[in-house]
Amino acid sequence: MKPHETTPGMPMTFPSHQGLIAPLWRRWPRKFDVAALCVGAAMPDVVDLPTALWRGHFGQGIGHSFIGMALIGFPLGLLLRALVCRMARRLTRSRGHGLLAFAWNRGLAALATEPTALLPRRRVIIASSLALGGFSHLAFDLVSHG
């Protein structure tokens, strides 16, 4: 493989990394924050996106390190999570009755719930979910990339 090529079979950030952690919020919905888990699972690739655009290919850079996750991924993830939740509250629910409408409405409902975000316990859940999502991405990439 040439240095500028990505690893064969490299999964897309969304939804592959989120799929790994989906059982957590399905099993224990009050112990995890759906938006923070999903955003956290995407953060290593989000952090490395500017470098990928500059290089012309996607690879694992600073976003795929513990230092990058702590210094860049976590603060950026908190901001991105807040934006995702705000956007979900403004999006329109589907009036359809099919599977896509059901999935859309359930997804918006899970992301739009924010009534207790300022409570100290909720902050801990959000922070730990964001961190767990990011570390699950790093762990998955350890076994799925060269």
Side-chain angles (χ1 to χ4, degrees), residues 68-87:
M69 280 302 301
L71 297 179
I72 302 169
F74 189 78
L76 185 61
L78 289 173
L79 176 64
L80 187 58
R81 182 209 166 271
L83 291 172
V84 165
C85 289
R86 176 177 270 184
M87 188 173 74

Side-chain angles (χ1 to χ4, degrees), residues 101-118:
F102 174 78
W104 175 260
N105 291 338
R106 289 291 298 262
L108 285 181
L111 294 175
T113 56
E114 192 72 23
T116 59
L118 298 178

Side-chain angles (χ1 to χ4, degrees), residues 30-99:
R30 297 199 195 298
K31 300 215 183 270
F32 296 99
D33 183 80
V34 175
L37 280 170
C38 290
V39 168
M43 285 318 295
D45 289 340
V46 170
V47 170
D48 287 343
L49 182 63
T51 306
L53 295 173
W54 180 71
R55 287 189 304 203
H57 66 92
F58 210 88
Q60 294 180 337
I62 188 73
H64 285 79
S65 69
F66 290 130
I67 293 172
M69 280 302 301
L71 297 179
I72 302 169
F74 189 78
L76 185 61
L78 289 173
L79 176 64
L80 187 58
R81 182 209 166 271
L83 291 172
V84 165
C85 289
R86 176 177 270 184
M87 188 173 74
R89 287 192 297 271
R90 293 181 178 190
L91 290 173
T92 306
R93 299 333 184 231
S94 174
R95 295 176 194 247
H97 300 290
L99 177 63

